Amino acid sequence: MDLSSAVTTTAATLRQRPGDLLPFYFLGTAVPVIARVGMFVALVGMYFHFELTGRLADARAALAGTDLSPPDPQNPEAMQAWAESVEPALSPLASPTAILLLVAGVLATALIAVLAYAAISAGQLSAVAGRLRGERGLTAGIAGVRGRWLSFLGIYVAELLVWTGASLLGAAAVAGGFAVNPFLGAAVALGVLLVGFVGLLAVRIVFAFAPAAIVVDDATAFEAIAASVGFVRSNPADAAAYLVIAIGVLIGTGSAASGLAYLGAGAVVALLSAVVVAPALDVLKTALYGDYRDAVVPVPPPATGPIDQFRGGVRRGWVELLAFVRRSPGAHGVSVAVGIGFGALGWVAADPLVGAVTTSIESRLVGHVPPAAAVNFFGNNWGVAIATATAGVALVIPALSSIAFNGVALGATAALESNLLALAAFVLPHGVFEIPALVVSGALGIRLGVVSWRTFRGRLSREAFANALENAFWVLVGLGILLGVAGFIEGFISPYYWRPFL
């Protein structure tokens, strides 16, 4: 298969039944939500520790009447005086138990993130390989999570060790050169840079195809690395072309992200990178490697054009969204209860800071650029909805923690707002679309968690789990419609309509 055929296969695979592949890439955006459960548990433990030992009451008493607004950073004396005034309020919170819980939370978060990334990556590439073999992608992906996560973890650890070893070796060579003679050190440093650049390309291209080797050959980590080396040696042109495409895409998305971030709309690029660019590159490299192993079944192009397919997808998303809301009132009730409960908790928790710390909706809207803001609001909110819903696969808890986190943030922001009426006026027009959409995403996460648990217990088949994931994909498409409307209103209407009256 030449590169042109591989690109055609990639496009056809992504367009032919996207709901059978993209849910795993939606799930990839949930890794931070899943991982932060470790920190969330640690923070809850710290809160109870502070409350039960009286340290929280001491901190609240010390905060009373303290101005927490930091002075001008350019005035070191004022900064020092401010730090000394705040220190008595913070010192009760710096207990050994709290520090231990905080460190444990950080370590747990990092460990969960690594394991979740390995497992989800195994599912993504297994789904891709399944589609290229003519199988159902989601079923293959679910099997891949369980059977191949350790192999994926192995190649990530191996690449990290290679980079660490190469960096230490290069640093030692440069240090040795400078120890002998400065000119020799400079020459060695230049040589290390040149060799390092070539080595970087070689290592990256080998490890780029190692995941494809795992899922195509059903190989272990070391077998996959060896097979990837064989592929690169046998097909240097295809491997180099893939590397050029991947680097070009990386530079292009980075440039787009920088430009849109300057305008305040970087969130949509991050979302598109995760759910469009990443699967396209995965399909491309797996198609190239799979053809090398004679493991690719030709994928026919979709019967409809892109515009008709987009319209049909929007209609299906809306229909599936309405159907899900009708058939799952219990999950929606839990989502609403958690959101309201933790919103109230955020309001109460922020009470000691009222007056000392203030937020202002008017100040946050300074420099507001409506088109860029609308795109950014849409990308950010849809990303949150996707991550919240798909994180529920990890047995519900991450989805509930995401709802709780957003509830606390909203409650605390409202409690500290200097003009609560203006904040309410700002939120109302787009909130009637955005808040229900986020509630539905929480309910969808609960539903996926229940299905995941029943599958784990053997009460549901992988096929049933795959059906739930595909249905969730289309529900999230429907939520994208709601959040697109909310983003437009939040960008163009919410910041302005109330100003003549308030």
Side-chain angles (χ1 to χ4, degrees):
M1 180 183 294
D2 58 21
L3 183 64
S4 176
S5 299
V7 171
T8 301
T9 298
T10 298
T13 302
L14 292 175
R15 290 188 55 206
Q16 190 75 267
R17 197 175 177 183
D20 190 36
L21 178 62
L22 293 185
F24 266 105
Y25 290 89
F26 278 20
L27 182 57
T29 68
V31 170
V33 177
I34 296 171
R36 74 184 180 203
V37 169
M39 182 56 69
F40 190 83
V41 171
L43 291 175
V44 171
M46 290 169 65
Y47 171 80
F48 282 110
H49 164 66
F50 294 145
E51 189 68 58
L52 295 174
T53 58
R55 293 174 178 270
L56 192 58
D58 294 340
R60 285 171 178 162
L63 281 173
T66 303
D67 183 7
L68 298 180
S69 302
D72 184 359
Q74 302 300 322
N75 188 339
E77 293 181 357
M79 283 294 296
Q80 183 177 356
W82 175 78
E84 291 174 353
S85 69
V86 172
E87 190 272 337
L90 299 180
S91 58
L93 305 181
S95 70
T97 301
I99 295 172
L100 181 61
L101 286 170
L102 182 62
V103 171
V106 171
L107 294 177
T109 297
L111 179 61
I112 294 170
V114 170
L115 296 179
Y117 180 72
I120 292 171
S121 296
Q124 291 171 343
L125 268 293
S126 297
V128 168
R131 288 295 306 276
L132 292 173
R133 287 193 296 261
E135 303 169 0
R136 185 174 186 188
L138 291 179
T139 305
I142 293 167
V145 169
R146 187 165 186 173
R148 297 180 175 129
W149 71 270
L150 191 57
S151 296
F152 273 76
L153 181 62
I155 61 171
Y156 297 147
V157 171
E159 184 173 10
L160 175 63
L161 292 176
V162 168
W163 287 120
T164 302
S167 299
L168 293 175
L169 185 62
V174 172
F178 274 106
V180 174
N181 184 286
F183 294 103
L184 178 61
V188 171
L190 180 61
V192 167
L193 286 176
L194 294 176
V195 173
F197 178 73
V198 175
L200 183 152
L201 295 179
V203 171
R204 185 78 286 277
I205 200 167
V206 167
F207 280 95
F209 285 96
I214 289 176
V215 297
V216 172
D217 299 337
D218 199 18
T220 64
F222 292 111
E223 291 170 347
I225 294 170
S228 179
V229 171
F231 168 77
V232 173
R233 292 177 60 185
S234 301
N235 301 271
D238 288 342
Y242 171 80
L243 185 63
V244 169
I245 291 173
I247 292 174
V249 169
L250 180 64
I251 293 173
T253 53
S255 300
S258 298
L260 288 173
Y262 177 77
L263 297 173
V268 71
V269 178
L271 181 60
L272 290 176
S273 297
V275 302
V276 177
V277 175
L281 291 176
D282 281 352
V283 174
L284 179 60
K285 68 183 179 185
T286 308
L288 289 170
Y289 185 86
D291 181 71
Y292 164 69
R293 293 297 200 188
D294 295 323
V296 175
V297 175
V299 180
T304 58
I307 295 177
D308 289 338
Q309 187 178 17
F310 176 78
R311 290 173 178 168
V314 170
R315 284 195 297 269
R316 180 174 178 182
W318 186 251
V319 169
E320 295 288 359
L321 170 62
L322 296 179
F324 173 73
V325 171
R326 285 195 298 267
R327 69 173 180 264
S328 54
H332 285 83
V334 173
S335 182
V336 170
V338 171
I340 292 176
F342 278 86
L345 179 62
W347 180 287
V348 172
D351 184 65
L353 303 177
V354 173
V357 177
T358 60
T359 62
S360 170
I361 185 61
E362 290 98 331
S363 64
R364 292 199 296 274
L365 292 174
V366 172
H368 180 86
V369 181
V375 171
N376 192 63
F377 291 143
F378 164 69
N380 181 70
N381 291 329
W382 198 29
V384 169
I386 290 172
T388 298
T390 54
V393 167
L395 307 181
V396 178
I397 294 174
L400 293 177
S401 71
S402 181
I403 302 167
F405 177 83
N406 285 287
V408 168
L410 183 58
T413 300
L416 300 175
E417 175 61 44
S418 60
N419 189 344
L420 192 57
L421 188 59
L423 177 64
F426 168 76
V427 170
L428 181 61
H430 64 270
V432 296
F433 297 97
E434 180 180 315
I435 294 173
L438 296 178
V439 168
V440 174
S441 73
L444 185 58
I446 294 169
R447 173 59 181 161
L448 285 177
V450 171
V451 173
S452 174
W453 172 249
R454 295 182 68 188
T455 305
F456 177 76
R457 295 289 304 274
R459 296 176 181 176
L460 284 178
S461 65
R462 289 176 180 171
E463 193 69 24
F465 192 7
N467 291 339
L469 287 173
E470 187 164 7
N471 175 256
F473 168 80
W474 290 112
V475 173
L476 288 167
V477 170
L479 288 180
I481 299 170
L482 275 183
L483 292 170
V485 173
F488 178 84
I489 295 172
E490 190 172 2
F492 288 92
I493 298 173
S494 294
Y496 305 110
Y497 81 98
W498 49 272
R499 292 182 184 272
F501 311 104
L502 297 176

